[in-house]
Amino acid sequence: MSIIVQKFGGTSVASASAIKRAASSVIEEKNLGHDVVVVVSAMGDTTDTLTRLAYEVTSNPQKREMDMLLSTGEQVTIALLALALQEKGVDSISFTGGQAGIQTDSIHGNAKLKSIDPNPILRELADGKVVVVAGFQGVTEAGAISTLGRGGSDTTAAALAARLGAERCDIYTDVDGVYTSDPRYIKKAAKISSLTYDDMLNLAARGAGVLHPRSVKHAKEHGVPMTVRSNLTHERGTYINHTSKRSDRYPVIGIVFQDERASITLNGEERDCGRDRQPVIRSILAAKHIECDFYKNQQKTTLLIPHCDLKESLELISEKEGPISFERFTTDCDLAKVAVIGSNIRTRPVIQGKTAQMLTRGQIDFQFIDDAPGSVTVVVKQPDMHRAAEILHTGFGLDVPEMRKIAAIH
């Protein structure tokens, strides 16, 4: 039988009734004749609650112990979902990440997958069981529990689907598909019926929270189709594979944003690393899996990182003060990113020009990040983030009736 991997996010398993509803979706797939592997997140806001609890105990929690703490959230969910399936007469078993054969590197808090041994899961599937796996976690080579960072359950699901040769990976979330922007804040956002892996990767990498970029990379590398859909409705979601039926008449496919960004601006002449500090800094932060963007700020070196990584980034840069060479630094913790996503944007310089024009007209201060082939990204003040996204969404024609119709066509 073919294997289907289903992933249920925190809102889809936030209560006992939600877990029972998820169990019904699993059973529907099982009754179609598939073997089913289910990946789950922690219930609702459990991860945030555990994080707050840690900071009540200490102002500087160690990442290894945070992994030990946060991994318990998914372990609660896997046991409850397995029990709900058993109550409905479906044989099932729950696995932690380590029990499922998931091994990671040793970067606690934001680990990357190294390997997956499929045999523990395959043995249980051969016995007719549904296997429920804790997302977001694995074990290091030394046997320590590790976590994959926010959105890591998506990565678990896609990686398992790839390793098991699954027919499809279904991501159940609190929205019924991928939209042209976050519909919680951009009310005229339209659902997109289908996307290529590359388009979805651009959306995810620049801020679309519906899927983690690593999950899309795994799916693309192994050709595993993905769907994004809601567990609350039977509506068709967004289908992601190598091809898309999106009209090429619309080069911009979405506006995404990320809040809670911080900047570090290094002041002083560059001596030991030539005219460009960027490769040195990027290498230092990449070793700890810290994402980083650079943008121009009065001819100084300014990098943009997640606010949660500010303290560690400053420590890492300060340790390399010799090769990086700076006299002092300043920080800004009230920033956000807004990105225009599309196909071959770099070949359409008019898009960057229109972005600047629209934001200037809207009296929003911004700085450009170096544009990527599939995006134009700006740094704005946190309070301006949603307004900037709305201006660009309207300005690039994503909320006109014609675009909403095209976005919904299969």
Side-chain angles (χ1 to χ4, degrees):
M1 291 189 292
S2 60
I3 297 173
I4 300 295
V5 174
Q6 296 179 312
K7 180 263 178 175
F8 293 91
T11 54
S12 298
V13 290
S15 63
S17 60
I19 289 173
K20 290 179 181 179
R21 187 165 55 245
S24 296
S25 295
V26 175
I27 293 170
E28 285 181 15
E29 204 66 60
K30 180 73 172 173
N31 288 341
L32 291 174
H34 300 295
D35 284 330
V36 184
V37 176
V38 188
V39 175
V40 294
S41 299
M43 297 174 65
D45 297 326
T46 297
T47 301
D48 292 335
T49 301
L50 292 172
T51 300
R52 285 194 298 269
L53 185 60
Y55 277 93
E56 290 177 13
V57 173
T58 174
S59 61
N60 187 30
Q62 298 300 306
K63 290 191 174 184
R64 182 192 182 281
E65 302 311 320
M66 286 300 292
D67 279 359
M68 185 70 76
L69 173 66
L70 298 182
S71 65
T72 64
E74 281 72 19
Q75 291 174 40
V76 171
T77 315
I78 58 174
L80 290 174
L81 182 54
L83 290 170
L85 289 166
Q86 292 163 12
E87 175 68 14
K88 294 175 180 287
V90 176
D91 200 5
S92 60
I93 186 171
S94 62
F95 278 167
T96 65
Q99 290 171 329
I102 299 172
Q103 187 177 107
T104 75
D105 62 20
S106 58
I107 304 298
H108 286 287
N110 196 18
K112 290 185 178 179
L113 295 176
K114 290 184 66 178
S115 65
I116 297 177
D117 177 4
N119 290 312
I121 292 176
L122 291 175
R123 282 194 293 267
E124 301 299 337
L125 292 179
D127 285 341
K129 296 178 183 177
V130 169
V131 182
V132 185
V133 179
F136 175 66
Q137 64 177 253
V139 293
T140 68
E141 189 174 354
I145 293 176
S146 55
T147 64
L148 306 178
R150 284 306 179 111
S153 292
D154 293 342
T155 303
T156 302
L160 283 175
R163 188 69 178 91
L164 296 169
E167 178 181 313
R168 194 178 70 245
C169 180
D170 294 336
I171 307 292
Y172 289 90
T173 182
D174 56 352
V175 292
D176 59 354
V178 181
Y179 279 67
T180 52
S181 195
D182 190 330
R184 295 173 298 177
Y185 304 102
I186 310 301
K187 300 306 180 184
K188 294 182 179 180
K191 186 170 72 174
I192 305 170
S193 65
S194 65
L195 287 165
T196 65
Y197 293 119
D198 288 337
D199 283 344
M200 187 66 244
L201 187 55
N202 283 331
L203 288 166
R206 288 300 183 184
V210 70
L211 276 178
H212 194 282
R214 292 184 198 169
S215 69
V216 185
K217 287 181 181 179
H218 280 288
K220 178 184 176 182
E221 288 172 4
H222 298 274
V224 178
M226 304 180 78
T227 64
V228 178
R229 56 186 301 185
S230 171
N231 191 38
L232 299 175
T233 71
H234 290 284
E235 289 188 23
R236 187 177 297 175
T238 300
Y239 187 73
I240 303 161
N241 66 355
H242 285 295
T243 60
S244 169
K245 296 181 181 180
R246 181 178 57 83
S247 173
D248 289 335
R249 292 168 53 201
Y250 294 86
V252 174
I253 62 173
I255 309 296
V256 297
F257 42 87
Q258 290 177 305
D259 60 2
E260 297 184 355
R261 303 291 109 174
S263 70
I264 303 173
T265 298
L266 303 179
N267 299 274
E269 293 184 3
E270 298 174 309
R271 297 188 298 271
D272 298 330
C273 56
R275 298 181 61 188
D276 194 356
R277 297 181 176 111
Q278 293 186 18
V280 180
I281 296 172
R282 196 181 298 278
S283 176
I284 292 169
L285 299 185
K288 295 295 184 180
H289 302 170
I290 297 174
E291 62 177 91
C292 173
D293 293 298
F294 291 88
Y295 64 96
K296 295 180 181 179
N297 187 349
Q298 299 176 349
Q299 306 304 314
K300 301 170 185 176
T301 301
T302 299
L303 56 146
L304 193 75
I305 55 175
H307 185 271
C308 61
D309 293 323
L310 177 60
K311 182 176 181 291
E312 184 177 9
S313 298
L314 287 172
E315 291 172 352
L316 291 168
I317 292 171
S318 296
E319 289 173 2
K320 300 291 184 180
E321 185 175 349
I324 293 177
S325 177
F326 63 92
E327 296 173 2
R328 60 187 177 87
F329 66 83
T330 56
T331 63
D332 187 341
C333 300
D334 191 31
L335 300 174
K337 291 197 298 186
V338 181
V340 179
I341 307 297
S343 299
N344 300 317
I345 278 186
R346 185 169 284 169
T347 66
R348 296 180 170 99
V350 66
I351 292 177
Q352 186 176 92
K354 287 185 65 176
T355 299
Q357 185 181 53
M358 285 185 276
L359 294 179
T360 299
R361 190 182 300 130
Q363 298 184 325
I364 293 177
D365 292 330
F366 64 93
Q367 294 280 352
F368 276 113
I369 289 175
D370 291 340
D371 61 318
S375 65
V376 170
T377 306
V378 295
V379 183
V380 299
K381 288 291 186 179
Q382 176 85 31
D384 291 333
M385 180 181 71
H386 291 142
R387 190 163 66 90
E390 192 166 23
I391 287 171
L392 295 175
H393 195 273
T394 299
F396 281 110
L398 295 178
D399 57 3
V400 297
E402 183 181 7
M403 182 61 206
R404 291 172 61 82
K405 181 179 179 181
I406 289 174
I409 290 176
H410 278 268

